[in-house]
Amino acid sequence: MIERQHKKILYLLGSLRVGGTEQQVVETAIRLNRERFEAKLYCISGGGPLLSRVKRHSIDVRFGNVAPFGSSRARPFPLIWIKKLLRLYWYLKRERPDIIHAYLFTPSMYAGIASRFTGKPVFISSRRCLGLFKDDLHAHYQSIENMLNRWTDKILVYSGAVKEAVLR
C-alpha cells in the first residue's frame, strides 16, 4: 500500500468570524509545513471576515451552514441537524482526513459523531470554555459531551479550569 506524502488535517470550527479561537486556527492552518501537511477548514455555521485571509493562502474551506446547538435558529429543527451531520459525514468520507481537529462544543459534537462512522481518523477536540451553558437548561449537552469524550483520541484544554471542567 502506498502511503500519502501529506497528512491531511481538517480543522472544524463554528465560523470564520474574528475571535481568539478562529484567529488561532487560521494562523495554525496557514503556518503548517505544507511539505508534510495539507490543511483544510470546515466551518459549521458559516464564513466571516477571516475567510479572505484563508483564501489568500489557498486553504480549502467548506461550510456546513449549521445553526449552533441551543440557538433559536436551531432548536425547532432537529431534522436539519441530522441533514447537516450527514453533509459533514459525506464530506469526511470524500476527503478522508488523517486528523480531524475540532474547536469548541458544536464543531466537536458534529465532528465526533461524523468521524466515528468514517473509518475513524484521529479525532482531537479542543475545549476552550468552562461549558457553563451545559448547566440547568442544557444539561443534556453534558451527556452528549461525555459520550463524545469516549470517542475522542485527544482532548486539548485551554486552561487548568477548563481541564477541571472536562474531568467532571
Side-chain angles (χ1 to χ4, degrees):
M1 184 173 158
I2 300 173
E3 190 173 324
R4 270 190 277 181
Q5 283 192 301
H6 295 90
K7 291 287 185 190
K8 194 182 288 189
I9 302 176
L10 178 65
Y11 294 100
L12 272 91
L13 53 153
S15 71
L16 288 171
R17 291 185 203 104
V18 177
T21 296
E22 294 80 4
Q23 288 178 316
Q24 201 168 40
V25 172
V26 167
E27 277 302 312
T28 300
I30 288 169
R31 293 171 184 257
L32 275 179
N33 180 339
R34 292 193 183 203
E35 291 177 14
R36 296 183 59 209
F37 302 101
E38 177 184 358
K40 293 180 176 278
L41 296 177
Y42 191 96
C43 297
I44 295 296
S45 61
L50 294 172
L51 178 60
S52 60
R53 181 140 194 260
V54 170
K55 289 199 175 264
R56 273 197 313 271
H57 290 276
S58 303
I59 295 171
D60 184 48
V61 182
R62 299 301 163 117
F63 302 98
N65 296 319
V66 177
F69 272 78
S71 78
S72 59
R73 293 185 308 133
R75 259 188 223 135
F77 305 109
L79 292 178
I80 291 174
W81 297 341
I82 293 168
K83 180 181 175 184
K84 303 304 180 176
L85 181 61
L86 288 172
R87 180 185 291 173
L88 175 59
Y89 167 80
W90 288 114
Y91 177 77
L92 295 177
K93 287 291 276 187
R94 185 177 63 250
E95 291 297 321
R96 297 177 41 226
D98 299 295
I99 300 168
I100 298 171
H101 190 164
Y103 291 78
L104 305 174
F105 180 77
T106 299
S108 291
M109 192 270 326
Y110 278 104
I113 293 169
S115 70
R116 178 74 174 175
F117 299 103
T118 58
K120 193 63 174 104
V122 173
F123 176 53
I124 301 168
S125 177
S126 282
R127 311 286 171 79
R128 295 170 170 250
C129 67
L130 295 174
L132 300 177
F133 64 92
K134 293 179 284 187
D135 294 344
D136 303 325
L137 182 61
H138 304 294
H140 59 286
Y141 290 174
Q142 187 61 57
S143 298
I144 293 169
E145 191 169 79
N146 290 343
M147 175 189 70
L148 294 174
N149 286 346
R150 291 189 292 276
W151 296 349
T152 304
D153 295 296
K154 187 65 76 174
I155 298 172
L156 304 178
V157 296
Y158 197 64
S159 68
V162 173
K163 177 182 177 183
E164 291 301 316
V166 168
L167 292 174
R168 271 187 249 136

